[in-house]
Amino acid sequence: MPDMELWPTSRLLSTAARLVELAWNDKLRPLGLTYPAVLTLDAVAAAGPITPGDLAKSVRVQAQTMGPLLTRLESRGFIRREPNRFDRRSQLISITDLGMTLLEQSHRQENNVLSAVNLDSEDLREELLAIVRHTNFN
């Protein structure tokens, strides 16, 4: 591997994010969840019934990426899709009791993803929050 000390910060951040996601997926596998599934369930739980388009914006993925994920979550009984009574062309996504139970279990494991590393340092959190809040990739 090339000398990481010479890597730009953006490459370090990207690599660290992928490694955290891989570790997180290992922890989630016994629950039948993936990292993107948890992000999606979190967004649905927070928003209440939400359209797929708004959900995609919330999770910061393309709308066409959300469709297959919603199909998997629905087939496993984690979410439910219902017609939107205000717009018959769209649906509303809600989390089921099973989805909420698994989401709560995933939250309990979240702090143990990389227990050897202090991911909760206040400085790191503030910098990451700034990146997420102020970066727009439209």
Side-chain angles (χ1 to χ4, degrees):
M1 181 174 278
D3 187 359
M4 290 182 288
E5 298 296 325
L6 301 176
W7 287 6
T9 303
S10 59
R11 187 184 311 172
L12 287 169
L13 180 61
S14 176
T15 301
R18 281 195 316 274
L19 293 171
V20 169
E21 186 171 341
L22 289 170
W24 190 217
N25 280 332
D26 284 344
K27 297 274 188 195
L28 293 170
R29 194 169 291 112
L31 298 176
L33 295 172
T34 62
Y35 179 74
V38 169
L39 293 178
T40 301
L41 291 174
D42 258 333
V44 173
I50 186 171
T51 66
D54 288 342
L55 181 57
K57 287 178 193 169
S58 176
V59 179
R60 296 184 178 199
V61 298
Q62 297 294 321
Q64 58 268 31
T65 301
M66 187 57 63
L69 177 57
L70 292 176
T71 298
R72 284 191 304 276
L73 292 173
E74 183 179 34
S75 72
R76 310 246 5 242
F78 302 158
I79 62 159
R80 115 181 103 259
R81 297 187 219 206
E82 299 172 322
N84 183 344
R85 63 185 177 134
F86 301 108
D87 180 356
R88 290 187 294 179
R89 296 169 296 161
S90 73
Q91 299 175 328
L92 292 175
I93 310 300
S94 301
I95 192 167
T96 64
D97 290 341
L98 174 60
M100 197 60 169
T101 298
L102 290 174
L103 182 59
E104 289 166 358
Q105 289 175 13
S106 76
H107 286 170
R108 285 193 292 274
Q109 292 184 13
E110 193 164 8
N111 292 331
N112 299 322
V113 172
L114 292 177
S115 55
V117 179
N118 180 13
L119 293 179
D120 288 324
S121 100
E122 198 56 39
D123 290 341
L124 176 59
R125 287 186 57 76
E126 289 301 318
E127 293 295 330
L128 293 173
L129 283 168
I131 291 169
V132 173
R133 285 185 180 134
H134 302 294
T135 302
N136 199 354
F137 294 104
N138 288 332

